[in-house]
C-alpha cells in the first residue's frame, strides 16, 4: 500500500499537521498496521520535496510548535492519477502459506519430519478463528463503516486463502504421488 | 379446529390464479356429481306407473326408470375422473405447501384437516350450487310434489359429495403429510395418489351400486348375465388403461434412440412417468368401450327396425332410449375430454420452468409443441385400439345372442378413430399455454 | 442458572443415517450444542451437514445413535411429540421454500402461533413485533413472491423466532442470497439469537457465514471433526466473550 498516496488523500480533505494525520489514518484504516510518527514525518518531507504538498504555516496553541501541511494542485493531480490507476492483479504468488506448503511437500517426500496436512489443518483453524474475530468486530452494532469495510476486505482475503488451503488439502495425496513418482 | 379453519380460509384467499383454477374446476366437478346424484334420486323415487311428458316414455315404467338411474350413476365415472384430474392440478405445489406447514410445526392431523377443509369448501360450494339449480328446475318442471324420501335423498347427496371429497383427500394425503421434508428430498414430483384414490374409490362404489341395481330382485341365474356384462366392461376398461401405461413405458424405451428431437423429448417424458398417460386417459378409454358397444347396438336396432323384426310403433320408443343414452355418452365424453385437457395443461404448467429453459437454450417452439402432442398421441393409440376391440367384443357377443339380422360394423369401427382424433384436439387445446410457459420470465421463478 | 458450563442443550451421539442406495449420510456423528451457543457445521456438499441438522431438529430420526434434548431422547419420541417440540422449542430456517406463498409475511411469521391455537389478533401482534426487529415490518402485508430474497429470509427468521424457541436450526440460510443480503440476514440472526439467548445450529458451506458462529465443527464423510482452536489465538478468540452476552440475555 502506498502510504504516500494515502497521506496525500488525507491532506486533500483539508490542511493538517503530522500528528493529526497519523490519528486520522489509524481511525480510517483500523485493520492496517498503525503508522509510526517517524514514517508520517519522512513521507511528508518527501511530498514537499516532490512538490506534491507544501507547508501552510505553524500552530503553537500553547504546546510545542507544529507544522501544518496542505496538498498542492500537482498533488491533487497526482492523487487523481493514482486513484484512477488499476493495481496489477497480483501476478506472482508470494504468500508464505503457499511457500510453506510446497516446501513441506517437497521435504516430506524426501523423508524430513514435515507434515503438510497437519500444517494445513492448523493454518485453516487459525484462519477461521481470525475470521470469527473479524466477523464479531464487523457485526458489532457500534462498528463504523470504515471498520466494516476493512474487516470485509480482510475477511474476503482470508476466505480466499482458506479455499485454496481446502482445495490443496484435498490434492495432497495426488501432489505427493506426483513428486514421488514423476 | 377454529385455527385450522382460519388458516384454510387464509390459504384459500391468498391463492394465486392457478390455484383458483383448481378450486373452481373442483367445484365444477362437485356440481356435476351432485347434479347427477340429485337426478338419480329424483328418478329413483318415482313409484309405480306414471305419465312423464319427457324421455319418450322411458320414465313411465319402473323397469326403464331403473335403467335411467343406472345410466346416471354410470355418468358419475367420468365425473370422478375429472375430479381426480383436478386434484392432480397443482399437486406438487400443494404438497410443498403442506410440507412447509409441517415444518412450521403443524401436526399431520392438522395439515390433513387444513387440506381437507380447503377441498371441502370448494366441493360444498359446487354441491350447494347444484342443489339450488336443481330445485329451481324441479319447481319449474314437475307437477306433483316430491315424496319426503326424495328430499332426504337430496340432502344426503348434497352433503355427501363434499363429505366424500373431504374423506378422500384425507386418505390421499396420508403420505404427503408424513414428512416435513417432502419437498427437500423429492427431486421430481412423485405420483400423486389423490387422483388415483378419488377415481378408484368412486368407480368401486359406482360399480357396486350399478351391479346391485341390476340384479335387484332377480334370481341367481338371471343375475349372472348383467353381472358378467358389467364385469366384462370393467375388465376391458382396466385392460385398456394398463395397456396405456405399459405401452408408454415400452414406447419411451424404444423411441429414446430416435434422431427426431420432438420424438426424443416425448420419449424421455414417457419413460420418466409412464403412468401419467393411463391416469389421464382412464375415463376416455372407458367411454370408448361403452361407445363402441352402444354404436353397434344402435345400428343393430335400426337394422332390425328396417328388417321389420321390431314393430314400427315400438321403434320410436327404442330409438328414443338410444338417443337419450347417446346424449349421456356424449356428456361423458365431453367431461372426459375436459379431464384430458386439464391433464395436459397440468403436465405443461408443472414443467414450465424446464420448458422455458429448453426454449431459452434454443429448442424451437414447434418441436416442443410436437413433443407435447406426441406425449398424448403415442400411448393413447394402442389403448384406444384395445378399448375398441373390447367394445366390439361385448357388442358382438350380445348381437350373436340376440340378433336375427346381419351385424352392422361400420359405426362401431369408426368410433375409436373418432375418439382418438377428438382426444388429440383436446390435448392441442392446451398448447396456447405453451406460449406462456416458455417465456424467459418463467426462468426466474423458483 | 447458567446452562453454559453444565449439560448441553442438545447432544447427539454416534448418529448413523442412510438414505436409500446413495450410501450413508451420517456414520457415527457426535455433536453438542450448548444453550445460547451459535455453532457452525461446515463441510463439503454431501458430507451430511443437512442430515445432521434434520436429526438434531427432530425432523428425521437417525437409524442409530441418540439425540438428547434436556431429559428426553428425541430419536425415541413419536412423530406427534417431535412435531410439538418443533413448534414450541425449535425454529427452522432453510435456504428457501419454507414460507407459504399464499400467506402474507405477517401471517407467515404468525403461523407457528396460529398452529398452536393462539388467537389471530394476538398471534399477528406478536409476529409484527418480530418483523419489526428484523426490519421487514414494511413488508408485513406482502406475500413471499413479492419480496426480495433477503426480505423473505428475514421473514423466515421472524417465523423461526416468534415462539421464542430454545434453538434455531438454520440450513444454508444465506445460500440463495448475494453477499450483502446474506450479511444482513446473518447479522440479524446472530444479534437476535444472542439477545434472546437462543442457541443456533448453522449449517453452511461458506466460511464467511460460518465465521458468525462462536464455534465450528466440520463434517467429513458423515463424521464430525472438531475444528481446533489455533494455539496462538486462543486468548483473543471471540467465543469466550460471547457467552456473557448470552447469559445477560437469559436473565432478561
Amino acid at each position: 500500500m502506498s502510504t504516500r498516496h494515502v497521506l496525500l488523500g488525507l491532506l486533500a480533505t483539508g490542511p493538517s499537521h503530522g500528528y493529526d494525520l497519523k490519528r486520522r489514518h489509524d481511525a480510517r484504516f483500523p485493520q492496517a498496521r498503525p503508522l509510526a510518527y517517524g514514517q508520517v514525518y519522512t513521507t511528508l518531507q518527501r511530498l514537499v520535496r516532490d512538490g506534491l504538498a507544501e507547508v501552510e504555516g505553524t500552530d503553537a496553541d500553547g504546546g510545542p510548535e507544529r507544522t501544518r501541511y496542505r496538498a498542492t494542485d500537482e498533488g491533487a493531480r497526482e492523487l487523481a492519477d493514482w486513484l484512477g490507476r488499476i493495481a496489477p492483479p497480483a501476478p506472482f504468488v508470494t504468500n508464505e502459506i503457499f511457500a510453506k506448503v510446497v516446501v513441506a511437500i517437497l521435504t516430506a517426500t524426501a523423508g524430513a519430519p514435515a507434515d503438510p496436512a497437519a500444517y494445513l489443518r492448523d493454518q485453516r483453524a487459525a484462519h477461521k478463528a481470525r475470521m470469527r474475530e473479524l466477523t464479531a468486530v464487523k457485526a458489532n452494532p457500534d462498528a463504523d463503516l470504515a471498520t466494516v469495510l476493512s474487516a470485509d476486505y480482510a475477511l474476503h482475503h482470508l476466505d480466499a486463502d482458506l479455499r485454496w488451503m481446502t482445495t490443496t488439502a484435498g490434492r495432497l495425496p495426488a501432489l505427493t504421488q506426483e513428486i514421488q513418482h514423476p | 379446529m377454529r385455527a385450522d379453519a382460519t388458516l384454510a380460509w387464509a390459504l384459500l384467499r391468498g391463492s394465486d390464479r392457478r390455484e383458483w383454477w383448481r378450486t373452481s374446476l373442483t367445484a365444477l366437478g362437485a356440481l356435476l356429481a351432485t347434479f347427477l346424484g340429485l337426478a338419480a334420486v329424483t328418478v329413483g323415487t318415482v313409484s309405480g306407473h306414471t305419465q312423464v311428458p319427457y324421455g319418450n316414455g322411458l320414465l313411465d315404467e319402473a323397469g326403464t326408470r331403473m335403467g335411467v338411474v343406472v345410466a346416471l350413476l354410470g355418468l358419475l365415472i367420468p365425473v370422478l375422473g375429472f375430479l381426480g384430474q383436478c386434484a392432480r392440478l397443482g399437486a406438487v405445489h400443494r404438497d410443498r405447501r403442506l410440507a412447509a406447514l409441517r415444518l412450521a410445526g403443524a401436526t399431520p392431523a392438522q395439515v390433513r384437516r387444513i387440506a381437507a377443509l380447503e377441498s371441502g369448501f370448494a366441493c360444498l360450494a359446487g354441491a350447494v350450487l347444484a342443489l339450488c339449480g336443481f330445485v329451481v328446475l324441479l319447481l319449474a318442471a314437475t307437477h306433483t310434489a316430491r315424496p319426503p324420501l326424495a328430499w332426504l335423498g337430496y340432502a344426503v347427496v348434497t352433503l355427501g359429495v363434499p363429505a366424500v371429497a373431504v374423506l378422500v383427500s384425507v386418505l390421499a394425503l396420508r403420505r404427503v403429510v408424513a414428512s416435513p421434508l417432502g419437498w427437500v428430498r423429492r427431486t421430481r414430483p412423485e405420483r400423486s395418489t389423490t387422483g388415483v384414490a378419488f377415481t378408484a374409490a368412486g368407480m368401486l362404489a359406482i360399480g357396486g351400486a350399478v351391479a346391485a341395481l341390476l340384479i335387484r330382485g332377480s334370481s341367481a341365474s338371471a343375475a349372472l348375465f348383467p353381472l358378467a356384462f358389467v364385469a366384462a366392461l370393467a375388465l376391458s376398461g382396466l385392460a385398456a388403461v394398463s395397456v396405456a401405461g405399459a405401452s408408454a413405458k415400452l414406447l419411451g424405451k424404444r423411441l429414446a434412440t430416435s434422431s427426431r428431437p420432438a420424438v426424443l423429448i416425448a420419449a424421455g417424458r414417457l419413460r420418466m412417468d409412464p403412468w401419467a398417460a393411463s391416469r389421464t386417459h382412464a375415463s376416455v378409454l372407458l367411454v370408448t368401450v361403452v361407445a363402441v358397444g352402444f354404436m353397434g347396438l344402435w345400428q343393430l336396432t335400426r337394422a332390425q327396425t328396417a328388417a321389420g323384426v321390431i314393430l314400427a310403433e315400438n321403434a320410436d320408443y327404442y330409438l328414443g332410449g338410444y338417443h337419450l343414452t347417446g346424449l349421456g355418452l356424449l356428456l361423458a365424453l365431453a367431461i372426459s375430454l375436459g379431464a384430458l385437457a386439464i391433464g395436459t395443461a397440468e403436465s405443461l404448467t408443472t414443467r414450465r420452468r424446464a420448458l422455458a429453459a429448453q426454449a431459452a437454450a434454443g429448442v424451437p417452439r414447434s418441436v416442443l409443441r410436437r413433443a407435447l402432442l406426441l406425449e398424448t398421441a403415442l400411448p393413447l393409440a394402442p389403448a384406444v385400439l384395445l378399448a375398441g376391440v373390447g367394445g366390439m367384443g361385448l357388442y358382438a357377443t350380445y348381437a350373436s345372442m340376440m340378433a336375427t339380422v346381419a351385424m352392422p360394423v361400420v359405426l362401431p369401427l369408426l368410433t375409436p378413430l373418432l375418439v382418438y382424433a377428438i382426444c388429440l384436439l383436446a390435448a392441442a387445446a392446451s398448447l396456447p399455454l405453451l406460449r406462456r410457459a416458455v417465456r424467459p420470465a418463467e426462468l426466474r421463478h423458483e | 442458572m447458567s446452562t453454559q458450563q453444565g449439560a448441553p442443550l442438545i447432544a447427539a451421539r454416534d448418529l448413523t443415517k442412510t438414505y436409500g442406495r446413495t450410501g450413508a449420510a451420517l456414520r457415527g456423528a457426535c455433536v453438542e450444542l450448548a444453550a445460547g451457543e451459535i455453532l457452525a457445521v461446515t463441510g463439503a456438499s454431501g458430507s451430511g451437514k443437512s442430515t445432521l441438522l434434520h436429526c438434531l431438529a427432530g425432523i428425521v430420526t437417525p437409524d442409530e445413535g441418540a439425540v438428547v434434548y434436556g431429559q428426553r431422547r428425541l430419536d425415541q419420541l413419536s412423530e406427534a411429540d417431535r412435531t410439538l417440540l418443533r413448534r414450541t422449542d425449535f425454529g427452522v430456517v432453510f435456504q428457501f421454500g419454507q414460507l407459504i406463498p399464499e400467506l402474507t409475511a405477517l401471517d407467515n411469521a404468525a403461523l407457528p402461533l396460529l398452529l398452536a391455537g393462539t388467537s389471530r389478533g394476538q398471534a399477528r401482534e406478536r409476529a409484527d413485533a418480530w418483523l419489526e426487529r428484523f426490519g421487514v415490518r414494511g413488508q408485513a402485508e406482502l406475500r413471499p413472491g413479492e419480496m426480495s430474497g433477503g426480505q423473505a429470509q428475514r421473514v423466515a427468521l421472524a417465523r423461526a423466532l416468534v415462539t421464542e424457541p430454545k434453538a434455531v436450526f438454520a440450513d444454508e440460510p444465506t445460500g440463495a442470497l448475494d453477499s450483502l443480503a446474506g450479511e444482513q440476514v446473518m447479522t440479524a440472526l446472530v444479534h437476535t439469537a444472542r439477545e434472546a439467548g437462543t442457541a443456533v445450529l448453522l449449517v453452511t458451506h461458506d466460511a464467511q457465514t460460518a465465521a458468525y458462529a462462536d464455534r465450528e465443527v466440520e463434517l467429513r464423510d458423515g463424521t464430525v471433526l472438531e475444528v481446533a482452536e489455533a494455539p496462538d489465538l486462543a486468548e483473543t478468540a471471540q467465543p469466550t466473550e460471547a457467552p456473557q452476552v448470552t447469559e445477560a440475555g437469559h436473565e432478561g
Side-chain angles (χ1 to χ4, degrees):
Chain A
M1 188 172 63
S2 169
T3 310
R4 178 182 155 88
H5 288 104
V6 172
L7 288 189
L8 198 54
L10 290 173
L11 275 184
T13 62
S16 185
H17 24 72
Y19 179 71
D20 199 27
L21 279 177
K22 175 196 153 41
R23 235 175 11 91
R24 280 167 60 198
H25 172 273
D26 292 351
R28 284 289 162 215
F29 301 94
Q31 301 300 322
R33 193 170 294 157
L35 276 184
Y37 182 68
Q39 197 189 350
V40 176
Y41 181 73
T42 46
T43 308
L44 281 171
Q45 298 256 298
R46 282 194 201 129
L47 286 173
V48 172
R49 184 196 66 198
D50 297 341
L52 303 177
E54 61 193 12
V55 175
E56 200 194 47
T58 50
D59 296 320
D61 10 291
E65 202 167 83
R66 290 191 294 196
T67 314
R68 204 166 67 240
Y69 296 87
R70 71 159 183 223
T72 62
D73 288 348
E74 206 191 328
R77 267 196 302 281
E78 167 67 21
L79 182 66
D81 186 43
W82 178 71
L83 287 176
R85 216 182 306 142
I86 60 156
F92 309 109
V93 183
T94 53
N95 191 293
E96 191 188 339
I97 301 171
F98 173 73
K100 270 191 182 162
V101 169
V102 173
V103 173
I105 295 173
L106 280 174
T107 51
T109 50
D115 186 351
Y119 167 70
L120 279 173
R121 196 178 56 230
D122 292 348
Q123 187 62 53
R124 285 178 66 209
H127 263 62
K128 286 182 172 181
R130 179 71 184 137
M131 284 176 78
R132 282 199 292 275
E133 262 180 43
L134 286 167
T135 305
V137 169
K138 183 174 89 161
N140 184 343
D142 301 327
D144 59 10
L145 195 57
T147 310
V148 172
L149 284 182
S150 62
D152 263 349
Y153 191 81
L155 274 168
H156 280 96
H157 281 82
L158 288 171
D159 194 16
D161 281 353
L162 202 57
R163 280 170 203 232
W164 178 78
M165 285 190 276
T166 309
T167 317
T168 306
R171 285 185 173 147
L172 272 182
L175 272 175
T176 314
Q177 184 88 23
E178 194 179 301
I179 291 171
Q180 278 173 335
H181 311 284
Chain B
M1 190 65 194
R2 236 191 73 215
D4 298 341
T6 313
L7 267 175
W9 182 242
L11 285 169
L12 208 59
R13 232 182 18 176
S15 294
D16 59 12
R17 227 176 37 202
R18 211 143 46 87
E19 283 290 287
W20 271 112
W21 261 106
R22 185 166 76 88
T23 312
S24 321
L25 286 171
T26 308
L28 179 68
L31 186 143
L32 283 171
T34 313
F35 208 89
L36 290 171
L38 293 175
V41 167
T42 310
V43 176
T45 50
V46 173
S47 51
H49 178 86
T50 50
Q51 283 281 310
V52 180
Y54 341 99
N56 290 66
L58 272 181
L59 300 171
D60 291 352
E61 297 294 339
T64 47
R65 271 204 303 272
M66 199 49 74
V68 173
V69 170
V70 166
L72 285 170
L73 287 181
L75 274 178
L76 275 176
I77 292 177
V79 171
L80 279 166
F82 181 85
L83 275 173
Q85 282 299 327
C86 291
R88 278 189 51 73
L89 260 186
V92 178
H93 172 79
R94 188 204 45 218
D95 292 359
R96 266 191 205 171
R97 193 183 59 196
L98 296 184
L101 273 173
R102 287 280 285 115
L103 211 52
T107 60
Q110 245 173 334
V111 170
R112 271 199 292 268
R113 276 203 300 271
I114 290 170
L117 277 171
E118 267 188 279
S119 53
F121 279 146
C123 287
L124 187 66
V128 167
L129 220 66
L131 181 68
C132 293
F134 194 81
V135 166
V136 167
L137 267 182
L138 210 59
L139 291 178
T142 38
H143 317 287
T144 48
R146 312 293 313 135
L149 188 67
W151 288 108
L152 183 72
Y154 295 158
V156 167
V157 168
T158 309
L159 293 177
V161 166
V164 166
V166 166
L167 213 71
V168 169
S169 49
V170 164
L171 281 176
L173 287 169
R174 221 181 26 221
R175 200 185 43 187
V176 177
V177 298
S179 162
L181 291 176
W183 59 272
V184 173
R185 288 263 160 223
R186 194 177 301 164
T187 46
R188 66 184 162 96
E190 276 177 34
R191 223 187 309 161
S192 156
T193 48
T194 320
V196 180
F198 244 125
T199 320
M203 284 188 177
L204 219 70
I206 292 168
V210 166
L213 277 176
L214 282 175
I215 61 169
R216 199 175 63 163
S218 39
S219 66
S221 56
L224 206 60
F225 178 68
L227 270 187
F229 194 76
V230 169
L233 193 72
L235 262 180
S236 30
L238 206 68
V241 169
S242 19
V243 159
S247 66
K249 211 168 184 171
L250 194 74
L251 281 169
K253 213 179 271 176
R254 278 287 154 80
L255 296 175
T257 50
S258 164
S259 55
R260 293 178 51 199
V263 178
L264 208 58
I265 294 173
R269 176 75 187 156
L270 288 179
R271 227 155 52 140
M272 227 176 87
D273 191 3
W275 296 101
S278 61
R279 267 197 317 271
T280 318
H281 304 149
S283 65
V284 168
L285 294 176
L286 209 58
V287 169
T288 310
V289 176
V290 178
V292 168
F294 164 78
M295 285 298 201
L297 292 182
W298 182 44
Q299 286 281 78
L300 189 66
T301 309
R302 278 166 54 122
Q304 283 175 327
T305 314
V309 180
I310 295 173
L311 293 175
E313 52 258 42
N314 287 341
D316 269 357
Y317 171 77
Y318 280 117
L319 288 178
Y322 275 116
H323 291 158
L324 217 59
T325 317
L327 210 64
L329 264 176
L330 277 180
L331 184 65
L333 187 65
I335 297 168
S336 308
L337 288 175
L340 189 131
I342 290 173
T344 321
E346 188 258 357
S347 135
L348 210 151
T349 44
T350 49
R351 286 183 295 150
R352 69 191 196 286
R353 198 189 140 88
L355 287 170
Q358 304 270 350
V363 178
R365 212 177 282 171
S366 58
V367 169
L368 292 178
R369 232 179 350 244
R370 274 202 297 275
L372 274 169
L373 275 184
L374 280 173
E375 213 180 89
T376 305
L378 287 177
L380 192 59
V384 166
L385 188 71
L386 193 74
V389 169
M392 277 304 271
L394 284 172
Y395 161 54
T397 314
Y398 182 82
S400 63
M401 280 161 65
M402 306 286 170
T404 47
V405 295
M407 196 175 92
V409 288
V410 180
L411 267 184
L413 283 181
L414 274 178
T415 308
L417 283 179
L418 208 65
V419 170
Y420 188 67
I422 297 174
C423 281
L424 288 191
L425 280 178
S430 69
L431 285 181
L433 276 176
L434 182 67
R435 193 191 300 274
R436 283 243 309 274
V438 298
R439 276 188 311 203
E442 292 296 338
L443 286 173
R444 294 184 57 241
H445 294 306
E446 181 246 330
Chain C
M1 176 67 218
S2 169
T3 47
Q4 206 70 50
Q5 308 304 324
L9 181 70
I10 305 176
R13 284 194 307 270
D14 306 322
L15 296 186
T16 303
K17 180 81 188 171
T18 310
Y19 281 114
R21 286 160 293 169
T22 53
L26 291 178
R27 30 182 128 213
C30 299
V31 71
E32 289 188 351
L33 180 67
E37 179 189 35
I38 300 179
L39 173 67
V41 178
T42 59
S45 34
S47 58
K49 304 186 294 272
S50 294
T51 307
L52 182 65
L53 179 139
H54 296 156
C55 287
L56 283 170
I59 296 172
V60 300
T61 47
D63 298 338
E64 282 165 43
V67 181
V68 180
Y69 170 68
Q71 303 298 317
R72 288 188 278 181
R73 284 280 300 267
L74 221 55
D75 51 306
Q76 290 172 348
L77 288 183
S78 71
E79 171 61 35
D81 287 338
R82 281 184 286 125
T83 299
L84 188 68
L85 210 59
R86 280 207 300 277
R87 194 165 70 204
T88 54
D89 290 28
F90 300 159
V92 285
V93 184
F94 285 168
Q95 189 169 345
F96 52 68
Q98 71 270 41
L99 293 181
I100 298 188
E102 283 83 3
L103 298 183
T104 61
L106 189 57
D107 280 335
N108 258 300
L111 189 60
L113 297 175
L114 288 173
L115 287 171
T118 313
S119 78
R120 190 172 157 84
Q122 216 180 350
R124 281 168 67 98
E125 198 176 308
R126 274 168 68 185
D128 191 58
W130 282 95
L131 289 184
E132 166 97 80
R133 282 177 89 162
F134 285 110
V136 280
R137 199 184 182 184
Q139 282 73 36
E141 291 308 323
L142 297 185
R143 298 207 159 82
E146 302 161 343
M147 305 179 230
S148 74
Q151 286 167 345
Q153 279 309 74
R154 281 183 279 161
V155 172
L157 286 179
R159 192 181 85 180
L161 281 151
V162 75
T163 54
E164 295 173 26
K166 292 274 189 298
V168 166
F169 297 89
D171 191 352
E172 300 281 7
T174 61
L177 305 178
D178 64 70
S179 59
L180 207 54
E183 182 182 304
Q184 286 170 349
V185 165
M186 282 314 298
T187 311
L189 171 61
V190 166
H191 275 199
T192 319
R194 291 240 159 87
E195 261 172 36
T198 309
V200 178
L201 187 91
L202 172 67
V203 162
T204 179
H205 71 279
D206 176 41
Q208 293 199 47
T209 305
Y212 280 90
D214 303 325
R215 191 162 68 90
E216 181 182 327
V217 294
E218 201 176 314
L219 267 180
R220 200 174 300 163
D221 301 330
T223 51
V224 174
L225 310 166
E226 196 80 25
V227 173
E229 287 300 327
D232 53 329
L233 287 160
E235 269 88 321
T236 53
Q238 288 299 309
T240 49
E241 310 282 338
Q244 320 255 287
V245 182
T246 311
E247 270 179 36
H250 262 313
E251 306 295 333

